[in-house]
Amino acid sequence: MASENTIQNFIHNLEHGNMQNVIKGAMIAVLIIVLFLLYLFVHFRGFANEHAMDQAQIARALASGQGFSTKYIRPIAIWKLTDSGKGVPTDNFPDFFNAPLNPLVNSLALSIVKNKWTMTPKDIVYIGDRIIALFSIIFFLAAVGVGFFIARYLFDTGFALLACACVLVTDLLWMFSLSGLPQMMMLFLFMVACWFIICAQRAATEDRQSAILLFVGLAALFFGLLTLAHGLGFWFFLGFLVFVGINFRPLGIAATIAVIVYAITISPWLVYNYQTCGNLFGLGYYIGISGGGNDELIMRSLNPHIQGSLFGLRSKLREGIIGQVTELFSFLGLNLAAAAFFLSLLHPFKRAETAQFRWCVLLMWFFAVIGMSIFGVENVLGANQLHVLFLPIMVFYGLAFILVLWHRLEITTPLYRLIFLILIPFLCAVPMLLRIVSGPTAAVNWPPYIPPVIAVLGEWTAPSEIIASDVPWAVAWYAQRKSLLLPDTVRGFNEINDYRLLGQPIIGIYLTPVSGDRRFISGIMKGPYKEWGPFITRSLNFKGLPFRAVLPMPKDGETIFFADRERWNKNKKAEQPAEKAPE
């Protein structure tokens, strides 16, 4: 009889008690392990984003004791240093384009595999790519952990487990984890900041003034760290600041504390930028103030003419907002629960903190959209795509709204309820399931990257030599060589090369489909690479340039290396000039 009671109690706990949450938690743990193995070891093909490679090579410089220096050199950076009277260094070129926190964290990851930094032609996925992706996944899972506590406080434990499952099966979040971009670290920082905002709200409900200021200050600290991870974090802080100014009494004091803490947190970066290039905001500032110009051309110019205008800014805002709203569902990972967040704004949640916090989320999202419109969002997995940071919080509110609608249907059949609760995460997981079913499409991210081929350039050149390229971020990361972004004009290239502005001559040009896979007339002959048309079209016109050796490279000659001599020919002595290519 006692055993029967024990079994009945077990079944009761399984269906209604704590055991139900234990099983849900165990299932989520298994889900995490399976997804971790699938994405990191099956679907990972290395980095595909230029900003990820750029920040990774800066991280490697940090790990090797070279400070915030870069091997990826933009012509505009040369202009800026010269224009500010700082002088162009000939050894370690300082970076003042990227926010510092992601390279700093990645340097810790890379220090673990310091003896494996050199990529060989036999490596398909660079060990540096994989270790950075691993750290990013850890940040993602930590962010989901913080999200669990947020969802549990705003709603309840069972809901939090279901909501976190909906977040974990969102393919976009895993793809960002593998991208090498700072989004997953930013997601963690953002979730922690949100937790402190909720703590401040709770303190306000309990009328604890000192606690309000403490939690507002802590939230501001994490928004400062968010900005140090990506400059667009400033726009998140603006939305938070408006919320604090409206909701916390006495008016102005909490907002003042937030501004002070935030300013102190980001000030080292601003001071570094000013000391390095004479501008508090570095090179990214010029993309923001350009009146809708081509950002690529701005970075490639040795003598940029940047003209900002109210009309240009208005045009960028209009086009940016329209583009983001049009693609919003994609930016939210095609997650139905996240999309339902905007409908949840119409529902009067009974709990004060729950009802109030969603307006804070909306404010931060609104200001983030403005920032992304000004600086541009390239694509769903772009460096400036920050909608993804709102995805977990939006899932919490959207899922809550969906469950409220289900409850109003008054369907009490347990089987139907179970099917419904399974259907929600299944629909959120559709993009992930399609990726898993289809399998990896290729071993590398071609076009335009074949990392082992790029790594060979490092074997053909000395550490002090410089290669110009249309993918200098990849050359800097995989070949570990200084690489100049191909200037917008041949004259600019010759000026850098002839006057030894970087301390060394440029020994070659490496071109890929980035410049070659364009429309012949509009993209090459009349586009941003028009002066390099003979190189891109393989016309081999070397007039005025010091290159006489040519090597078509994989894949099928779609990449090509122009060099001062046949460096790939081991039978030729280094000092022997290469055969002259036809002009």
Side-chain angles (χ1 to χ4, degrees):
M1 189 70 177
S3 61
E4 291 181 1
N5 289 334
T6 302
I7 293 173
Q8 289 177 356
N9 289 333
F10 176 78
I11 294 175
H12 176 78
N13 288 330
L14 188 64
E15 294 180 344
H16 304 288
N18 294 329
M19 200 66 180
Q20 185 182 36
N21 289 333
V22 171
I23 292 176
K24 288 180 180 178
M27 292 176 65
I28 290 178
V30 172
L31 176 66
I32 290 172
I33 294 172
V34 171
L35 293 178
F36 171 82
L37 295 174
L38 276 174
Y39 275 90
L40 189 59
F41 295 101
V42 177
H43 292 280
F44 187 51
R45 299 180 295 163
F47 294 160
N49 188 284
E50 65 176 86
H51 297 283
M53 298 179 206
D54 184 17
Q55 294 185 15
Q57 58 91 19
I58 295 169
R60 187 171 55 203
L62 279 167
S64 62
Q66 299 174 34
F68 277 96
S69 61
T70 180
K71 293 184 183 297
Y72 167 22
I73 301 170
R74 300 167 178 85
I76 191 176
I78 299 174
W79 165 79
K80 184 58 184 172
L81 290 173
T82 305
D83 185 66
S84 62
K86 302 293 182 179
V88 180
T90 57
D91 47 4
N92 294 332
F93 197 95
D95 177 75
F96 43 95
F97 179 85
N98 295 281
L101 191 57
N102 194 49
L104 185 61
V105 172
N106 286 344
S107 70
L108 301 177
L110 290 172
S111 63
I112 298 174
V113 292
K114 195 169 186 177
N115 60 335
K116 298 180 180 179
W117 280 356
T118 301
M119 186 176 189
T120 69
K122 296 181 180 180
D123 297 326
I124 301 300
V125 176
Y126 184 33
I127 186 64
D129 290 359
R130 204 179 292 279
I131 194 68
I132 290 174
L134 174 61
F135 266 57
S136 190
I137 291 175
I138 293 172
F139 274 116
F140 168 43
L141 298 179
V144 174
V146 177
F148 170 78
F149 291 104
I150 291 175
R152 188 177 67 171
Y153 179 79
L154 293 177
F155 301 100
D156 61 53
T157 302
F159 173 88
L161 288 171
L162 179 62
C164 287
C166 291
V167 173
L168 284 169
V169 296
T170 303
D171 178 67
L172 183 64
L173 291 169
W174 286 95
M175 294 309 295
F176 263 113
S177 297
L178 302 181
S179 69
L181 293 169
Q183 267 77 347
M184 291 302 100
M185 178 177 63
M186 295 176 69
L187 179 63
F188 172 73
L189 297 173
F190 181 60
M191 296 300 284
V192 174
C194 287
W195 173 250
F196 285 128
I197 296 172
I198 293 170
C199 289
Q201 288 182 276
R202 181 171 56 187
T205 303
E206 298 169 356
D207 198 25
R208 294 184 289 130
Q209 293 298 321
S210 58
I212 293 174
L213 298 180
L214 172 63
F215 289 126
V216 166
L218 288 171
L221 169 65
F222 276 86
F223 279 114
L225 294 175
L226 190 72
T227 305
L228 292 177
H230 196 303
L232 290 182
F234 167 75
W235 298 90
F236 287 68
F237 175 73
L238 283 184
F240 161 72
L241 192 63
V242 172
F243 179 78
V244 169
I246 294 174
N247 288 278
F248 294 111
R249 303 292 188 274
L251 291 175
I253 295 180
T256 301
I257 294 294
V259 170
I260 293 173
V261 172
Y262 178 80
I264 292 173
T265 305
I266 67 170
S267 60
W269 180 31
L270 302 181
V271 171
Y272 165 81
N273 283 335
Y274 186 78
Q275 290 179 341
T276 304
C277 70
N279 187 312
L280 289 173
F281 308 109
L283 292 181
Y285 163 79
Y286 295 102
I287 294 177
I289 66 171
S290 64
N294 188 306
D295 296 342
E296 179 187 22
L297 281 176
I298 292 174
M299 293 295 107
R300 291 175 55 208
S301 178
L302 195 61
N303 186 24
H305 299 284
I306 302 170
Q307 296 180 348
S309 67
L310 183 61
F311 176 78
L313 178 62
R314 187 171 61 210
S315 176
K316 289 174 69 174
L317 280 172
R318 182 181 66 251
E319 293 175 6
I321 291 173
I322 292 174
Q324 290 178 72
V325 171
T326 303
E327 299 294 330
L328 184 58
F329 190 40
S330 297
F331 289 149
L332 293 176
L334 304 179
N335 191 303
L336 291 172
F341 164 79
F342 297 96
L343 295 177
S344 73
L345 299 173
L346 304 175
H347 179 69
F349 289 101
K350 293 180 180 179
R351 188 169 188 173
E353 290 96 329
T354 304
Q356 191 180 45
F357 180 63
R358 60 184 167 162
W359 299 111
C360 179
V361 175
L362 183 65
L363 276 170
M364 291 187 291
W365 176 79
F366 172 76
F367 279 95
V369 168
I370 295 176
M372 286 184 279
S373 298
I374 293 174
F375 288 88
V377 181
E378 306 94 334
N379 50 60
V380 174
L381 277 172
N384 291 342
Q385 206 281 77
L386 301 185
H387 295 277
V388 68
L389 271 63
F390 294 93
L391 201 153
I393 298 292
M394 289 185 171
V395 164
F396 299 160
Y397 279 98
L399 180 61
F401 181 72
I402 292 172
L403 294 178
V404 167
L405 295 182
W406 171 262
H407 180 72
R408 288 178 180 175
L409 294 176
E410 297 182 354
I411 299 175
T412 58
T413 305
L415 179 60
Y416 292 162
R417 181 177 181 274
L418 178 62
I419 293 173
F420 178 72
L421 292 179
I422 293 175
L423 182 63
I424 294 174
F426 174 80
L427 292 175
C428 295
V430 167
M432 171 180 286
L433 294 173
L434 292 174
R435 183 179 299 279
I436 292 173
V437 170
S438 63
T441 56
V444 294
N445 292 299
W446 173 264
Y449 308 112
I450 305 181
V453 172
I454 299 174
V456 170
L457 298 177
E459 298 182 0
W460 294 343
T461 55
S464 61
E465 292 180 320
I466 304 168
I467 301 171
S469 178
D470 55 3
V471 290
W473 47 86
V475 175
W477 175 229
Y478 294 119
Q480 300 189 47
R481 292 294 180 262
K482 278 186 179 181
S483 188
L484 174 72
L485 178 61
L486 202 64
D488 57 346
T489 65
V490 173
R491 180 179 179 181
F493 176 90
N494 286 332
E495 182 177 344
I496 296 171
N497 184 59
D498 295 346
Y499 290 98
R500 303 290 193 269
L501 295 184
L502 297 175
Q504 292 285 337
I506 299 168
I507 59 87
I509 296 178
Y510 175 68
L511 297 180
T512 72
V514 166
S515 58
D517 280 0
R518 295 170 180 257
R519 292 180 180 273
F520 181 72
I521 299 299
S522 61
I524 298 177
M525 304 311 293
K526 293 185 178 180
Y529 288 93
K530 60 184 178 182
E531 292 213 14
W532 299 97
F535 278 68
I536 296 169
T537 59
R538 315 303 195 248
S539 299
L540 308 182
N541 182 1
F542 294 96
K543 186 177 181 180
L545 293 170
F547 307 123
R548 295 295 182 271
V550 184
L551 179 68
M553 300 178 70
K555 180 177 178 182
D556 299 328
E558 292 188 57
T559 62
I560 192 167
F561 185 44
F562 302 91
D564 55 349
R565 55 184 170 80
E566 292 186 11
R567 293 169 171 266
W568 47 88
N569 191 339
K570 295 182 179 180
N571 295 324
K572 293 204 170 193
K573 295 181 179 180
E575 65 273 15
Q576 183 178 350
E579 294 181 8
K580 186 175 181 180
E583 297 186 0

